[in-house]
Each structure stands twice: as C-alpha cells, then as structure tokens.
C-alpha cells in the first residue's frame, strides 16, 4: 500500500509532519564575491545561476549602489536570492532561494562529526 493509497478520499484537512531531511545551503552576504561562491557551487552541482544588477548604468556610476540578485533557475522557473537569503540545494539536487525567516523556521544546523 502506498502513501496515496493510505489517504482516505474525504475532503477534510489532515495534519502532516514534514519528514526530516538534510540539505546544503549557503547564505548570501550581498557581495559580488559571495555571489560568485554561490554561483560556483550551483554550477558545480548541475544548476544554473547568474549575478544580476537592477540598473547596470546606475551601478557603474554610483559605486555599485543598485540592488543585486543571484538569479537561480529552479524547477518553477527563475527565482532571485536577495541580500541575506539562503540558497538551498534540495533533496533532488535542485536549487532555490529561501528567505531567512522561513529558513530559520524550517532548518537547524547539523553539527559536523
């Protein structure tokens, strides 16, 4: 019997607990150097990521003061990580950004042995 077979067909909410899984993640510090580290990690693991600037001309003229993002191609399309966001490699090897408050509620650090 599979998980789906075990569910009854009534349309009432049920309570489920997320299975514990371990993921890898990096938090972006907002710098170009930090973006490069994340992008290199994503690319080395089969993902696609780029560094984007909101306004290239303004950025060049004003000491890089325009917003920047790490753009990641996810299973749902392109998503952007902002300053302070985490980039997660999921259980199927996929990459996606995660806001710090959601990350804190969902994950805890696994202590290295």
């Amino acid at each position: 019997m599979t998980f789906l077979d075990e569910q009854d067909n009534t349309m009432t909410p049920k309570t489920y607990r997320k299975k514990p899984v371990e993921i890898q993640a990096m938090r972006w510090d907002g710098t170009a150097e930090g973006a490069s580290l994340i992008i290199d990690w994503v690319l080395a693991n089969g993902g696609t990521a780029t560094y984007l600037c909101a306004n290239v001309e303004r950025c060049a003229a004003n000491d890089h003061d325009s917003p920047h993002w790490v753009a990641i191609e996810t299973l749902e399309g392109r998503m952007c990580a902002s300053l302070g966001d985490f980039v997660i490699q999921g259980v199927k090897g996929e990459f996606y950004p995660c806001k710090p408050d959601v990350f804190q509620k969902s994950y805890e650090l696994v202590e290295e042995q």
Side-chain angles (χ1 to χ4, degrees):
M1 186 175 276
T2 69
F3 170 74
L4 294 177
D5 294 334
E6 294 170 4
Q7 295 181 12
D8 67 47
N9 292 326
T10 61
M11 294 300 296
T12 58
K14 306 264 185 301
T15 301
Y16 293 88
R17 181 178 296 115
K18 190 173 185 178
K19 294 178 182 179
V21 297
E22 292 183 8
I23 53 96
Q24 290 192 326
M26 295 178 73
R27 190 169 192 186
W28 185 36
D29 63 4
T31 66
E33 294 81 12
S36 292
L37 292 171
I38 291 172
I39 291 167
D40 289 347
W41 171 56
V42 171
L43 295 175
N45 288 282
T48 303
T50 55
Y51 187 58
L52 297 179
C53 178
N55 185 325
V56 177
E57 292 81 21
R58 175 185 164 151
C59 194
N62 294 292
D63 197 29
H64 306 287
D65 72 342
S66 291
H68 292 84
W69 301 279
V70 175
I72 302 163
E73 296 302 326
T74 73
L75 298 174
E76 291 82 29
R78 178 182 281 181
M79 299 177 89
C80 291
S82 301
L83 166 66
D85 287 354
F86 286 85
V87 175
I88 296 173
Q89 183 178 20
V91 296
K92 294 183 179 181
E94 75 282 12
F95 290 90
Y96 54 94
C98 184
K99 292 294 180 195
D101 60 331
V102 174
F103 188 89
Q104 183 178 8
K105 290 177 184 176
S106 302
Y107 300 100
E108 60 187 22
L109 182 62
V110 174
E111 296 297 328
E112 299 294 325
Q113 298 294 331

